[in-house]
């Protein structure tokens, strides 16, 4: 495999730009859009998004095995990107531009198709990162660039509604701007990635594990168990705060006109701090860096409880930036840790199966997000919250509780799981040496 160069890292991170530009609206903007302007209601939208995410529980592992099993003459990964991108473009058009009103089946159908294609492209990209990196620190570098691309994508897609918001555009026009950004950016970055990122044309596909063997991957594999649990907790926490941010800004802090601009600062902070998290992981290790970042998120969220909502702008901006500083590191580091787990599995089984392992990781992430959006939106509707209506003090308190307290507990739980993580840099070096020795013997 070629040496990791800046163009390769940029192309790999570039693939994450449109995927994140789609992922952010799916969590933050599209649920309120379909619940409000499209007219489906908070409870209905929450259930549809939750079911669509649970659909991924079944499709992700299957897709992961397919991505590992069937290479092509172009390599192991490129053809899956080329197949997934057109489907994703079509589905995203119907999701971002639904017209004036649609029945629930419209959202359910196109959301299922979108998630299917989104998984194909996103899962292939994550597995590709294992192929182009070998060392412990290279993994942090590769997935750090992926997170930089993700945050840049989210900032870019946020810039459009922030500009439109300041010019008096309505919510539907803001959603349309996000859709156009994604539809333009995806084919451009995909083409750049396909041309620049190396792919192993000599790679042979791995065999399908039996369905009953998949749960056995977890048995006795403590690093995998910890990483999946951390991903689940962080994804749940991030999705809860993301899905309720618009309601928090508009109904609790009365900052609807500048909500997108404040959220932009959140992602800007995450982008600027990412090189620091990468460097810190080289020095103290991924698991300790993960502990620090999740604890920072938890502590920051706890401070929201004490804000005076009547004059909150300076404090809200400060906390948003601080939360953004902690935001990006957990998802970078869980993916870097998973790459090391793939190596350990290869040493044990003689099969390199990053597609399968990343499909399991994304499944846990999506389950956390599904439960978060479905349960939280259902709870808000049950509590009497109605988009577009004046919120009572009691409802405001419930929105603040959901946004801050629930994710605070989840992030704190994730930080506890980082303590005593087993697959350290030293152990990974031993695994790499054993793999190299076995490969030399086979050659």
């Amino acid at each position: 495999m070629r040496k990791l160069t800046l163009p390769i890292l940029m192309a790999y991170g570039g693939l994450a730009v449109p995927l994140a530009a789609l992922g952010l609206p799916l969590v933050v903007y599209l649920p309120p859009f379909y619940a409000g302007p499209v007219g489906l209601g908070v409870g209905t939208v929450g259930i549809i998004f939750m079911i669509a995410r649970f659909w991924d529980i079944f499709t992700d592992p299957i897709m992961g095995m397919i991505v590992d099993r069937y290479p092509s003459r172009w390599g192991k990964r490129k053809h899956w990107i080329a197949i997934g991108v057109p489907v994703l473009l079509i589905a995203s058009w119907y999701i971002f531009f639904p017209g004036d009103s649609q029945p629930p089946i419209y959202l359910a159908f196109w959301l299922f198709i979108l998630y299917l294609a989104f998984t194909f492209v996103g899962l292939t990209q994550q597995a590709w990162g294992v192929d182009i990196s070998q060392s412990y620190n290279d993994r942090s570098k590769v997935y750090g660039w992926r997170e930089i691309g993700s945050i840049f994508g989210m900032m870019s897609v946020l810039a459009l509604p922030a500009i439109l918001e300041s010019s008096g555009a309505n919510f539907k026009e803001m959603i349309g701007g996000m859709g156009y950004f994604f539809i333009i950016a995806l084919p451009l970055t995909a083409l750049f990635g396909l041309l620049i990122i190396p792919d192993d044309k000599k790679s042979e596909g791995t065999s399908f594990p039996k369905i009953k063997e998949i749960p056995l991957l977890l048995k006795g594999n403590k690093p995998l168990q910890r990483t999946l649990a951390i991903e689940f907790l962080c994804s749940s926490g991030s999705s809860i705060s993301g899905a309720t941010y618009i309601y928090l800004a508009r109904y609790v802090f009365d900052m609807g006109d500048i909500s997108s601009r404040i959220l932009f600062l959140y992602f800007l902070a995450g982008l600027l701090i990412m090189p620091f998290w990468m460097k810190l992981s080289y020095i103290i290790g991924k698991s300790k860096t993960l502990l620090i970042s999740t604890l920072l998120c938890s502590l920051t969220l706890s401070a929201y409880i004490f804000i005076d909502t009547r004059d909150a702008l300076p404090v809200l901006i400060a906390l948003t930036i601080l939360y953004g500083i902690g935001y990006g590191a957990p998802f970078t580091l869980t993916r870097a840790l998973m790459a090391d787990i793939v190596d350990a599995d290869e040493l044990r089984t003689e099969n390199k199966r990053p597609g399968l392992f990343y499909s399991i990781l994304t499944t846990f992430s999506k389950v956390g997000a599904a439960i978060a959006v479905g349960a939280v939106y259902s709870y808000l509707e049950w509590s009497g919250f109605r988009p577009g209506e004046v919120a009572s003090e009691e409802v405001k308190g419930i929105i603040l509780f959901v946004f801050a307290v629930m994710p605070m507990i989840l992030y704190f739980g994730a930080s506890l799981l980082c303590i005593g993580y087993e697959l350290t840099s030293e152990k990974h070096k031993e695994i790499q040496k054993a793999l190299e020795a076995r490969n030399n013997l086979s050659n």
Side-chain angles (χ1 to χ4, degrees):
M1 188 61 65
R2 282 159 49 187
K3 181 182 177 182
L4 275 178
T5 62
L6 183 60
I8 292 173
L9 290 169
M10 290 179 65
Y12 184 76
L15 275 172
V17 172
L19 296 178
L22 175 60
L24 175 69
L26 278 171
V27 174
V28 178
Y29 287 97
L30 285 169
F33 173 63
Y34 274 88
V38 180
L40 297 184
V42 176
T44 300
V45 168
I47 294 298
I48 291 174
F49 271 83
M50 182 171 67
I51 294 173
R53 277 300 195 183
F54 274 117
W55 165 246
D56 285 336
I57 297 174
F58 303 102
T59 59
D60 275 21
I62 295 171
M63 289 183 182
M65 290 185 284
I66 290 173
V67 165
D68 284 338
R69 180 68 183 91
Y70 297 111
S72 71
R73 62 179 181 174
W74 297 286
K76 198 171 185 179
R77 311 296 176 193
K78 289 187 176 183
H79 55 295
W80 296 121
I81 297 287
I83 291 170
V85 165
V87 180
L88 189 53
L89 286 172
I90 293 170
S92 63
W93 175 267
Y94 284 97
I95 286 293
F96 279 97
F97 303 97
D100 293 331
S101 63
Q102 294 291 346
I105 190 65
Y106 175 94
L107 174 61
F109 175 79
W110 285 113
L111 198 60
F112 276 53
I113 300 297
L114 184 139
Y115 275 138
L116 198 66
F118 192 31
T119 295
F120 240 137
V121 177
L123 187 58
T124 302
Q125 189 227 13
Q126 292 184 63
W128 209 350
V130 178
D131 299 338
I132 64 175
S133 61
Q134 278 79 38
S135 74
Y136 184 84
N137 286 338
D138 273 354
R139 298 285 167 69
S140 294
K141 184 183 295 183
V142 165
Y143 290 101
W145 272 89
R146 177 185 176 274
E147 193 62 29
I148 288 172
S150 295
I151 296 174
F152 181 79
M154 287 184 275
M155 287 175 56
S156 300
V157 82
L158 267 177
L160 284 169
I163 294 170
L164 293 171
E165 194 176 52
S166 62
S167 63
N170 60 37
F171 199 19
K172 183 178 180 179
E173 291 168 336
M174 291 165 58
I175 294 295
M178 294 179 183
Y180 281 123
F181 176 85
F182 172 75
I183 289 168
I184 294 170
L186 179 61
L188 294 177
T189 55
L191 179 61
F192 184 50
L194 292 173
L195 293 174
I196 300 297
I197 306 172
D199 202 358
D200 187 2
K201 295 182 179 180
K202 298 179 181 179
S203 175
E204 297 181 359
T206 57
S207 59
F208 279 120
K210 296 177 181 178
I211 298 298
K212 65 181 181 180
E213 292 176 356
I214 295 178
L216 296 178
L217 295 173
L218 290 167
K219 187 177 181 180
N221 194 336
K222 291 185 178 180
L224 179 60
Q225 294 170 5
R226 284 179 185 257
T227 302
L228 293 177
I230 292 168
E231 178 74 13
F232 175 84
L233 293 172
C234 290
S235 178
S236 299
S238 175
S239 296
I240 289 172
S241 56
T244 54
Y245 169 77
I246 293 295
Y247 295 147
L248 181 86
R250 291 184 176 181
Y251 296 99
V252 178
F253 294 107
D254 194 24
M255 296 178 182
D257 293 340
I258 59 171
S259 58
S260 292
R261 280 166 276 179
I262 295 175
L263 193 58
F264 184 86
L265 295 176
Y266 170 84
F267 291 112
L268 178 62
L271 178 67
L272 295 178
I273 202 65
M274 187 50 60
F276 166 78
W277 290 123
M278 293 164 61
K279 186 67 174 179
L280 186 64
S281 72
Y282 303 158
I283 298 171
I284 67 174
K286 300 169 191 172
S287 59
K288 292 179 181 177
T289 306
L290 185 55
L291 187 153
I292 293 171
S293 63
T294 50
L295 197 57
L296 174 61
C297 289
S298 181
L299 291 172
T300 302
L301 286 164
S302 69
Y304 277 89
I305 304 167
F306 305 102
I307 297 179
D308 182 355
T309 59
R310 292 167 296 181
D311 186 23
L313 182 59
V315 179
L316 182 63
I317 290 175
L319 288 179
T320 299
I321 292 172
L322 197 57
Y323 190 22
I325 289 172
Y327 159 77
F331 299 108
T332 297
L333 294 168
T334 52
R335 279 144 189 81
L337 290 172
M338 187 59 76
D340 301 335
I341 293 168
V342 169
D343 288 341
D345 176 72
E346 183 184 0
L347 182 63
R348 183 176 60 85
T349 65
E350 300 187 14
N351 281 315
K352 191 169 186 176
R353 306 182 288 186
L356 174 61
F357 277 85
Y358 278 100
S359 70
I360 297 172
L361 182 70
T362 57
T363 295
F364 273 73
S365 177
K366 290 172 182 178
V367 170
I371 293 173
V373 175
V376 164
Y377 271 45
S378 297
Y379 174 63
L380 287 175
E381 185 171 58
W382 176 82
S383 300
F385 172 67
R386 300 290 182 272
E389 298 180 5
V390 177
S392 65
E393 291 301 317
E394 181 182 0
V395 169
K396 289 181 181 180
I398 290 171
I399 294 173
L400 182 59
F401 171 81
V402 169
F403 172 86
V405 177
M406 289 183 177
M408 175 193 73
I409 295 170
L410 293 168
Y411 274 114
F412 183 70
S415 68
L416 295 178
L417 288 170
C418 298
I419 300 172
Y421 186 80
E422 295 84 3
L423 188 47
T424 60
S425 173
E426 292 74 19
K427 290 185 179 180
H428 183 258
K429 288 177 183 177
E430 294 174 5
I431 291 170
Q432 284 284 358
K433 288 180 181 179
L435 286 172
E436 290 173 6
R438 189 170 69 190
N439 291 335
N440 290 335
L441 284 175
S442 63
N443 293 331

